[in-house]
């Protein structure tokens, strides 16, 4: 199919011919250090990379050039997002599913017991998450026309937003559900969701078709155009994700950048987030049966290239990745991490259900935030942009002119202070206080510096929810 970035058809904006041509051209260019260094220099100016350019970097193997790429990715992350890392947690509402995805433990023919949370169970889960300090959730549920209806989801969102606890409330609910209609996206927008997230899994059509044995998700066209419908319905922030390891990662990386280009050019706003995922054991699904499973080294390369190619997009890492390795990946471009996650329905309280996939990082948010501070990051529970209406192109403008880092940094300090006051032990409070005071004195803008310092004092006196 001819490539057309503006097309409404998935087969045209993710043209297989264009991806293959990009990879073919890339194989010859990647061995030329001058070309590779030119691309690294372009990325270091925060101008991003086209899918053709990103393709070249996927084939770089020279250790020196790879190190230069990693260094560029670290610099870009630091420049755009500073040293804050935003924390969130998934909340599984229902594991009913009619799809037959070969890589997922929830596939319809699995003989597992299924469960959908009641209002009371949702409240108990949210309370458990709130006790860990979470303010930002990603709602997850399988696809099931009778059990997981839009009415059920909208009601669950309403329940969550109306829960208030001693230390506050959930302030931002992102949603990761199956592709749906424009009308349903409009309803989700009205319900006040943050980002609509949908993982593509793979852009390679024959593999997509094979991996989805049955169910509505098998429809590649409908699935791949879901973000378009969400944006047409007024949801400004959408999130992408490839499940790396289903097909050749070089192909999927190029497809993912093309998808980002499509959204950027068609709607004037690229993806708000890209979730970084790779195949893991999931119930009766074994990673070892996926010949394209991605090695640790290649995975780092993928993260670095995406950081270089789409500098203004938040990158999310889940607890699928193990602790120490996860930290080294974070440095290459990750801006959001999940912590203390349970990947099963009722996992924070009743714990009767099978998880969707195995997690490797079992650290609690308190342990995770402590580690992040030790590594020089500011753990952040910020939800300010969405609540200040800084979404879509308003957000992108700030990101592109380099100003988002200023508000992110200050908000991270405020939310870390809240977190330390409400959830930290004495040692955590001391560490956080020292970090906050050091970082506040380094805020270049005098007005923001003074305001942040006064907000921190007021938080310590019991006030909450300040934001820039
Ligand atoms: Fe269902 Fe999602 Fe699992 Fe597929 S990946 S089986 S749609 S829960
Ligand atoms: Fe995210 Fe906006 Fe907060 Fe920065 S200021 S951490 S971009 S919500």
């Amino acid at each position: 199919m001819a490539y057309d970035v503006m097309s409404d058809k998935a087969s045209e904006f993710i043209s297989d011919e264009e991806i293959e041509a990009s990879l073919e051209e890339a194989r010859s260019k990647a061995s030329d250090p001058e070309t590779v260094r030119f691309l690294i220099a372009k990325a270091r100016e925060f101008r991003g990379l086209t899918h053709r350019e990103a393709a070249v970097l996927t084939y770089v193997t020279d250790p020196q050039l790879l190190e230069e790429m990693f260094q560029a990715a670290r610099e870009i992350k630091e420049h755009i997002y500073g040293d804050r890392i935003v924390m969130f947690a998934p909340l599984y509402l229902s594991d009913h599913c009619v799809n037959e995805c070969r890589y997922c433990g929830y596939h319809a023919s699995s003989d597992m017991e299924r469960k959908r949370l009641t209002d009371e169970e949702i409240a108990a889960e949210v309370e458990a998450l709130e006790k860990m300090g979470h303010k930002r959730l990603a709602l997850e549920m399988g696809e099931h026309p009778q059990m997981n209806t839009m009415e059920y989801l909208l009601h669950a969102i309403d329940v969550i937003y109306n829960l208030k606890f001693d230390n506050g409330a959930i302030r931002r609910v992102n949603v990761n559900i199956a592709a749906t209609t424009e009308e349903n996206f409009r309803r989700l927008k009205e319900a006040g969701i943050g980002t609509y997230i949908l993982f593509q899994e793979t852009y390679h059509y024959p593999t997509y078709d094979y991996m989805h044995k049955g169910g509505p998700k098998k429809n590649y066209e409908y699935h791949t155009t879901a973000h378009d419908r969400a944006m047409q319905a007024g949801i400004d922030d959408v999130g992408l994700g490839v499940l790396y390891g289903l097909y050749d990662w070089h192909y999927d990386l190029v497809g993912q950048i093309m998808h980002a280009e499509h959204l950027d050019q068609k709607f004037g706003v690229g993806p708000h987030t890209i979730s970084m995922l790779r195949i893991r054991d999931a119930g009766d699904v074994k990673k070892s049966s996926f010949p394209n499973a991605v090695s640790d080294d290649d995975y780092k390369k993928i993260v670095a290239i995406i950081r270089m190619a789409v500098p203004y997009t938040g990158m999310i890492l889940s607890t699928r990745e193990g602790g120490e390795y996860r930290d080294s990946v974070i440095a290459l471009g990750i801006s959001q991490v999940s912590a203390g996650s349970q990947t099963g329905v009722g996992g924070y309280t009743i714990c009767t259900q099978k998880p969707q996939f195995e997690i490797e990082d079992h650290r609690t948010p308190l342990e995770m935030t402590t580690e992040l501070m030790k590594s020089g990051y500011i753990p952040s529970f910020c939800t300010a942009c969405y609540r200040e209406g800084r979404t879509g192109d308003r957000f992108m403008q700030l990101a592109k002119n380099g100003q988002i880092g200023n508000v992110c940094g200050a908000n991270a300090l405020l939310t870390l202070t809240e977190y330390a006051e409400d959830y930290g032990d004495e040692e955590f409070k001391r560490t956080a206080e020292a970090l906050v005071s050091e970082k506040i004195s380094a805020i270049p803008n005098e007005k923001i510096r003074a305001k942040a310092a006064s907000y921190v004092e007021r938080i310590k006196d019991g006030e909450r929810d300040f934001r820039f």
Side-chain angles (χ1 to χ4, degrees):
M1 217 46 99
Y3 175 48
D4 178 3
V5 67
M6 299 295 282
S7 175
D8 294 334
K9 285 195 192 141
S11 53
E12 290 180 356
F13 65 77
I14 309 287
S15 152
D16 172 68
E17 282 82 352
E18 176 58 21
I19 298 179
E20 291 295 359
S22 304
L23 293 176
E24 167 123 29
E25 180 184 83
R27 280 183 211 106
S28 57
K29 287 190 171 175
S31 53
D32 174 23
E34 216 174 292
T35 303
V36 173
R37 289 206 166 97
F38 170 81
L39 296 176
I40 295 173
K42 182 184 173 199
R44 287 177 71 183
E45 288 168 15
F46 319 110
R47 291 193 283 144
L49 298 172
T50 65
H51 64 274
R52 287 238 170 193
E53 292 168 338
V56 174
L57 300 185
T58 67
Y59 288 111
V60 171
T61 51
D62 178 273
Q64 173 60 35
L65 290 174
L66 277 175
E67 189 39 48
E68 289 173 34
M69 283 165 54
F70 291 154
Q71 187 50 35
R74 288 186 205 108
E75 280 174 30
I76 294 163
K77 172 185 142 66
E78 175 65 29
H79 175 81
I80 310 261
Y81 286 106
D83 42 16
R84 62 83 170 151
I85 300 281
V86 171
M87 320 291 290
F88 78 100
L91 171 56
Y92 280 71
L93 293 176
S94 168
D95 52 25
H96 290 272
C97 193
V98 294
N99 286 311
E100 284 289 358
C101 309
R102 290 181 190 264
Y103 46 82
C104 174
Y106 288 176
H107 60 89
S109 56
S110 156
D111 57 6
M112 64 181 272
E113 291 278 320
R114 309 278 171 165
K115 177 159 184 60
R116 184 183 79 170
L117 295 181
T118 63
D119 286 7
E120 292 69 34
E121 288 164 341
I122 292 172
E125 290 281 282
V126 173
E127 188 174 6
L129 284 158
E130 230 292 325
K131 278 194 179 134
M132 288 189 240
H134 283 296
K135 306 288 179 216
R136 176 190 288 246
L137 300 184
L139 298 188
E140 318 267 344
M141 64 180 192
E143 182 166 13
H144 196 294
Q146 284 80 41
M147 296 304 294
N148 305 344
T149 59
M150 186 51 63
E151 285 66 33
Y152 170 74
L153 177 63
L154 294 171
H155 177 70
I157 294 169
D158 191 50
V159 168
I160 295 167
Y161 274 141
N162 280 304
L163 288 166
K164 303 279 175 273
F165 304 97
D166 288 349
N167 292 334
I170 297 302
R171 296 171 179 164
R172 177 175 174 132
V173 172
N174 297 331
V175 167
N176 180 358
I177 56 148
T180 186
T181 60
E182 201 176 315
E183 174 53 25
N184 277 339
F185 282 126
R186 210 162 281 123
R187 296 169 76 194
L188 280 172
K189 160 92 183 160
E190 281 162 16
I193 67 159
T195 308
Y196 169 66
I197 302 157
L198 178 66
F199 302 149
Q200 177 63 30
E201 322 298 4
T202 175
Y203 287 95
H204 184 247
Y205 176 73
T207 305
Y208 186 94
D209 194 53
Y210 170 76
M211 289 294 166
H212 302 99
K213 282 192 287 178
K217 191 169 175 182
K218 193 170 180 65
N219 186 336
Y220 179 96
E221 181 68 31
Y222 189 70
H223 186 85
T224 313
T225 51
H227 304 86
D228 287 41
R229 289 192 296 285
M231 284 196 148
Q232 269 145 6
I235 296 179
D236 291 328
D237 294 341
V238 297
L240 306 179
V242 157
L243 181 53
Y244 281 99
L246 293 182
Y247 186 60
D248 175 18
W249 65 266
H250 303 78
Y251 186 103
D252 272 327
L253 188 147
V254 175
Q256 190 157 44
I257 306 296
M258 284 167 75
H259 200 167
E261 288 169 344
H262 166 72
L263 295 173
D264 195 16
Q265 293 191 33
K266 192 158 178 199
F267 299 100
V269 188
H272 191 67
T273 53
I274 290 183
S275 298
M276 295 306 304
L277 318 151
R278 60 176 170 163
I279 192 88
R280 300 223 71 89
D281 289 344
D284 55 356
V285 177
K286 295 290 164 229
K287 174 182 161 191
S288 50
S289 60
F290 290 81
N292 287 302
V294 174
S295 70
D296 283 358
D297 285 348
D298 281 344
Y299 196 60
K300 281 190 183 175
K301 204 163 142 185
I302 295 169
V303 171
I305 296 170
I306 294 178
R307 181 68 302 153
M308 294 162 82
V310 282
Y312 308 108
T313 294
M315 287 176 75
I316 302 177
L317 196 67
S318 76
T319 38
R320 286 173 189 237
E321 300 303 330
E324 219 170 279
Y325 173 71
R326 195 183 192 210
D327 292 346
S328 67
V329 176
I330 287 174
L332 295 173
I334 300 299
S335 54
Q336 254 188 66
V337 298
S338 52
S341 302
Q342 294 296 338
T343 58
V345 175
Y348 299 103
T349 51
I350 42 184
C351 300
T352 53
Q353 294 303 102
K354 212 168 78 166
Q356 188 187 23
F357 55 83
E358 304 298 334
I359 58 174
E360 299 230 342
D361 191 338
H362 297 277
R363 285 178 291 184
T364 63
L366 197 63
E367 288 164 346
M368 180 88 185
T369 43
T370 305
E371 289 297 319
L372 283 171
M373 287 193 292
K374 271 191 205 150
S375 310
Y377 296 109
I378 314 170
S380 171
F381 292 85
C382 176
T383 54
C385 280
Y386 160 67
R387 297 161 75 224
E388 291 291 311
R390 274 194 308 256
T391 58
D393 51 356
R394 276 195 65 199
F395 169 83
M396 281 294 162
Q397 243 172 21
L398 277 178
K400 287 187 180 175
N401 65 25
Q403 286 177 18
I404 198 71
N406 298 333
V407 278
C408 289
N411 284 327
L413 299 173
L414 301 182
T415 57
L416 176 61
T417 306
E418 267 193 13
Y419 180 78
E421 290 293 310
D422 293 342
Y423 309 96
D425 52 25
E426 286 312 311
E427 194 187 338
F428 187 93
K429 278 188 196 164
R430 270 196 304 278
T431 314
E433 195 171 354
L435 180 70
V436 168
S437 110
E438 178 202 323
K439 296 285 177 183
I440 283 190
S441 49
I443 292 177
N445 180 306
E446 200 181 319
K447 269 193 188 154
I448 297 185
R449 188 165 65 238
K451 221 170 176 181
S454 122
Y455 284 164
V456 163
E457 288 314 311
R458 288 170 66 182
I459 292 169
K460 287 185 191 163
D461 286 341
E463 288 187 69
R464 292 288 174 270
D465 205 12
F466 293 105
R467 57 183 182 263
F468 287 93

